[in-house]
Amino acid sequence: MLKVAVVLLLLAIIGSLFSGLFCLYRDRANGERMAKALTWRIGLSITLFLLLLAGFRFGVIPGYTQ
């Protein structure tokens, strides 16, 4: 289940990044939509990072041991 969530979040991050790129070229004068798309990307990236930290903390993601 966690793998699916990680992959979906990564796809959403990539989609938001390309959306920001599209808005950059489409709306040359006004960067409001681009800023909103990149804000979404940052929020999704932080969410993914916190999800991975929580998965490691609660033992869903095993740590590296030697």
Side-chain angles (χ1 to χ4, degrees):
M1 186 68 174
L2 183 66
K3 289 180 184 180
V4 173
V6 168
V7 169
L8 288 176
L9 277 172
L10 283 173
L11 289 175
I13 290 168
I14 292 170
S16 177
L17 185 65
F18 280 110
S19 173
L21 180 67
F22 177 75
C23 292
L24 175 68
Y25 283 112
R26 188 85 169 143
D27 304 333
R28 292 204 181 263
N30 189 2
E32 231 175 273
R33 288 192 325 166
M34 182 191 65
K36 191 177 289 189
L38 295 179
T39 302
W40 269 100
R41 185 183 64 89
I42 292 169
L44 289 170
S45 298
I46 291 171
T47 302
L48 176 62
F49 182 72
L50 292 175
L51 178 69
L52 291 174
L53 279 178
F56 180 73
R57 171 70 173 99
F58 294 117
V60 178
I61 301 171
Y64 177 74
T65 57
Q66 221 174 12

